[in-house]
Amino acid sequence: MNDLPFNVKYPILLFADDTSALVEGGDVILKAREVDDQASAWFNANNLTVNQSKTQALMYSAGSCNAPSIDYCILEDSNSIRLENSVEFLGIQIDKGLTWKEHTSKVMSIIGPCATCQEYLPFSVA
């Protein structure tokens, strides 16, 4: 797995058994297809497969700009990857607006009704 980033044109992040690709600017759908083609060639050459049910895409933007409203990233081989409103990356929930709302909600649902914790971790994020 360590040589996958050398075989794909765009940045690849590897952590344990998770692989993430970062494409930015211009036609990101076209770039995502290019990453898919290059990564698929590498996976095939190494007798590995991608678990499509665990494959996610997130198109994000910060500030007042909103990420385009597209439902699917269509790949060349007729596979499609659903664009998510948020994804979990290394334990952090990242949403398409780059806010902390999704992550805060998730953390609050885990720690539950602990009254002392709620004093220090308010639900609203400004």
Side-chain angles (χ1 to χ4, degrees), residues 17-77:
D17 64 344
D18 288 335
T19 304
S20 301
L22 176 65
V23 295
E24 59 184 332
D27 189 346
V28 294
I29 301 297
L30 181 63
K31 292 177 181 180
R33 289 178 181 156
E34 190 175 354
V35 167
D36 182 62
D37 290 343
Q38 294 168 354
S40 293
W42 184 90
F43 283 114
N44 289 335
N46 289 281
N47 295 318
L48 297 171
T49 58
V50 175
N51 186 341
Q52 291 293 337
S53 68
K54 291 186 174 183
T55 303
Q56 299 175 308
L58 176 69
M59 191 176 298
Y60 61 87
S61 65
S64 60
C65 298
N66 290 323
S69 180
I70 304 171
D71 289 335
Y72 290 92
C73 174
I74 307 297
L75 302 176
E76 293 294 327
D77 58 2

Side-chain angles (χ1 to χ4, degrees), residues 87-107:
V87 296
E88 186 172 350
F89 181 71
L90 302 179
I92 298 174
Q93 203 69 30
I94 302 173
D95 63 63
K96 68 180 184 177
L98 298 179
T99 69
W100 288 99
K101 291 178 184 176
E102 295 276 341
H103 185 71
T104 303
S105 295
K106 182 178 178 183
V107 169

